């Protein structure tokens, strides 16, 4: 990837956090604040190496520890402060938080069935809907772009956040969101020519 950007272009780099702690495998976690697995730390290191030549003028993170731990690797040696932005937290799964998928299906069969059929429409009990998350994420994205016109900045957050911002740039309907894969520590790049986005890179595994 050539990290030089044309004059006047605003570049948003989206980085998903590394692999979280093993106890979360097969469980719902959004609001839960879990750290990285050893493999996640290694993925974060590789992502930081991939971004080493990018001239970052800002570095932002979700408030969740898995994102902050990943962002710290990117920040090392750059003299950049990490700014935590609440807008970019992962969706709140409400009462699904911490449950395995089997437990969620058993305890909330109707909501679970709706989630599997229409993930963009379901409301998690005592949690969020995708549309609520979408609006706060998109609004947050506009704030960062306005703050960094003509500059390059990075946001370290979550798969759902990345998909939301990529789908907005691509004009994708909400129901197609999961056509966008986001592996752990995936790197994505969106260039903005004024308000016109151009997706330059998606789901690059470092």
């Amino acid at each position: 990837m050539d990290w030089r950007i044309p004059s006047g272009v605003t570049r948003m780099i989206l980085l998903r956090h590394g692999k979280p702690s093993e106890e979360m495998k097969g469980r719902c976690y959004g609001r839960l604040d879990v750290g990285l697995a050893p493999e996640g730390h290694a993925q974060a290191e590789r992502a930081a190496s991939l971004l080493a030549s990018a001239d970052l003028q800002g570095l932002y993170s979700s408030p969740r520890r898995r994102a902050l731990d990943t962002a710290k690797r990117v920040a090392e040696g750059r003299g950049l402060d990490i700014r935590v932005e609440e807008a970019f937290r992962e969706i709140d799964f409400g009462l699904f938080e911490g449950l395995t998928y089997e437990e969620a299906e058993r305890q909330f069969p109707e909501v679970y069935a709706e989630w599997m059929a229409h993930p963009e429409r379901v409301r998690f009990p005592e949690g969020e809907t995708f549309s609520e998350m979408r609006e706060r994420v998109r609004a947050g994205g506009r704030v960062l772009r306005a703050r960094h016109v003509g500059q390059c900045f990075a946001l370290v957050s979550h798969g759902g956040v990345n998909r939301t911002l990529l789908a907005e740039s691509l004009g994708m309907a909400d129901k197609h969101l999961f056509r966008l894969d986001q592996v752990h520590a995936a790197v994505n790049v969106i260039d903005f020519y004024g308000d016109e986005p151009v997706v330059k890179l998606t789901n690059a595994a470092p």
Side-chain angles (χ1 to χ4, degrees):
M1 177 77 186
D2 183 355
W3 292 109
R4 294 171 299 178
I5 59 175
S7 177
V9 169
T10 301
R11 173 165 289 173
M12 173 188 280
I13 298 173
L14 305 175
L15 173 60
R16 189 187 180 194
H17 61 77
K19 183 180 179 181
S21 301
E22 279 298 323
E23 65 264 25
M24 288 297 104
K25 187 175 182 180
R27 295 184 180 274
C28 303
Y29 62 96
R31 184 182 69 241
L32 284 180
D33 201 16
V34 298
L36 296 178
E39 183 182 347
H41 283 288
Q43 291 169 332
E45 288 277 8
R46 292 195 293 270
S49 294
L50 180 62
L51 298 178
S53 298
D55 182 20
L56 298 181
Q57 300 300 306
L59 178 59
Y60 300 88
S61 176
S62 154
R64 301 297 176 244
R65 187 154 47 100
R66 55 195 182 271
L68 276 166
D69 287 350
T70 303
K72 287 174 184 175
R73 301 292 185 178
V74 177
E76 285 176 359
R78 289 180 178 268
L80 276 175
D81 291 329
I82 301 168
R83 296 181 62 170
V84 174
E85 297 283 348
E86 285 286 338
F88 302 111
R89 65 190 185 275
E90 183 59 288
I91 195 167
D92 185 343
F93 286 104
L95 297 180
F96 279 32
E97 292 280 347
L99 299 181
T100 66
Y101 291 95
E102 292 79 11
E103 289 168 341
E105 183 177 21
R106 187 165 59 249
Q107 294 182 36
F108 305 96
E110 293 182 2
V111 179
Y112 186 88
E114 178 70 4
W115 183 27
M116 294 297 105
H118 303 288
E120 79 284 3
R121 297 206 307 243
V122 69
R123 174 177 290 283
F124 295 100
E126 298 185 19
E128 282 185 297
T129 63
F130 170 72
S131 62
E132 289 169 340
M133 186 194 80
R134 180 192 64 212
E135 292 313 306
R136 64 172 163 79
V137 167
R138 288 184 175 182
R142 290 192 293 271
V143 169
L144 295 192
R145 296 199 305 272
R147 190 179 294 164
H148 290 283
V149 173
Q151 297 178 341
C152 176
F153 66 93
L155 167 63
V156 185
S157 60
H158 308 274
V161 172
N162 288 357
R163 289 186 180 98
T164 299
L165 293 169
L166 287 165
E168 179 186 25
S169 293
L170 294 167
M172 290 177 62
D174 291 347
K175 65 181 180 180
H176 298 320
L177 195 74
F178 289 95
R179 293 180 180 181
L180 295 167
D181 193 16
Q182 285 293 290
V183 298
H184 289 123
V187 175
N188 310 267
V189 176
I190 308 172
D191 282 355
F192 290 86
Y193 294 78
D195 292 327
E196 189 66 25
V198 176
V199 176
K200 303 284 286 188
L201 185 70
T202 61
N203 200 39

